[in-house]
Amino acid sequence: YTLRCRIWLGSQPTEGVFANLREGYPGRHGMSEKVQKDYHRWLRRLGWVILLLAASFWTLFTGAEMVSGLVSGEAASLRGGLLEFAVFAAPLWLGAILVWRWPPVGVAWLLLDGVALVVLFAVRALTFYVPPAGLAMTALTLVLPPLAAGVLFLVDWRRGRIH
C-alpha cells in the first residue's frame, strides 16, 4: 500500500499525479494559460446558454399565454401573461443586458433574481399545496437558471474575464 501511494503521489515534489498542482508550475492550479482561457470561455458560454434559453422559454411561454388570451377574449389570461412576463421573463432579459454591459451588476441581479424566486415559491409552497412535480418544475425552469448563470458568470468574472 505504501509503495503504491508513493509511486502514485510521488516521493519527490516533481513526481506523481499531483506534481502540476504544487507551487512553481505555470498557471493557476496547474493549468496552462491556454487551458485557463478555454476554461473561462466555456464558463462564460455555458452561462450565456443557460440564461438565454431560460429567457427565451419564458418569453415564448408568456407570449403564447397572452395570444391565447387575445384569441379567446379573456382579459384575465392577457393580464396573467403580462404579469408572468414581468415576473419571469423580463428579469432574465434585464440580467442578460446587465451581464453584457456591466458584469458585476448583472451577476448581482441574476443571483438576487434567483434568491427572490426561491423566497417567492417557498412562501407559495407553504401557503398553498404544491405537488412535488410542480416544485421540481418550478426549480428547474424558474429558480435554477438565474442562479446557475449567475454563479457561472461570477466565477468567470472573479477569475479576471470581464466580457
Side-chain angles (χ1 to χ4, degrees), residues 96-112:
I97 292 168
L98 290 174
V99 165
W100 175 57
R101 292 296 298 155
W102 304 284
V105 176
V107 166
W109 176 262
L110 288 173
L111 294 176
L112 181 68

Side-chain angles (χ1 to χ4, degrees), residues 17-62:
V17 175
F18 298 111
N20 61 345
L21 297 178
R22 294 190 176 97
E23 293 180 354
Y25 280 79
R28 181 181 291 165
H29 305 295
M31 291 189 284
S32 69
E33 295 296 324
K34 182 181 183 315
V35 172
Q36 281 185 29
K37 189 179 285 188
D38 290 341
Y39 178 70
H40 290 301
R41 187 177 304 136
W42 281 107
L43 282 177
R44 190 173 55 256
R45 285 181 182 170
L46 184 59
W48 278 113
V49 165
I50 291 170
L51 182 59
L52 294 178
L53 279 176
S56 299
F57 169 77
W58 282 108
T59 302
L60 179 67
F61 183 80
T62 57

Side-chain angles (χ1 to χ4, degrees), residues 88-154:
F88 303 144
L92 293 173
W93 288 115
L94 180 61
I97 292 168
L98 290 174
V99 165
W100 175 57
R101 292 296 298 155
W102 304 284
V105 176
V107 166
W109 176 262
L110 288 173
L111 294 176
L112 181 68
D113 180 33
V115 170
L117 288 170
V118 166
V119 170
L120 175 75
F121 283 100
V123 168
R124 184 172 188 265
L126 291 174
T127 55
F128 300 106
Y129 172 73
V130 180
L135 284 176
M137 284 305 295
T138 299
L140 289 175
T141 60
L142 278 177
V143 175
L144 196 58
L147 287 176
V151 167
L152 288 169
F153 287 131
L154 177 67

Side-chain angles (χ1 to χ4, degrees), residues 59-83:
T59 302
L60 179 67
F61 183 80
T62 57
E65 187 167 340
M66 286 187 279
V67 167
S68 73
L70 287 174
V71 169
S72 66
E74 294 180 21
S77 181
L78 181 62
R79 284 192 306 268
L82 286 172
L83 180 64

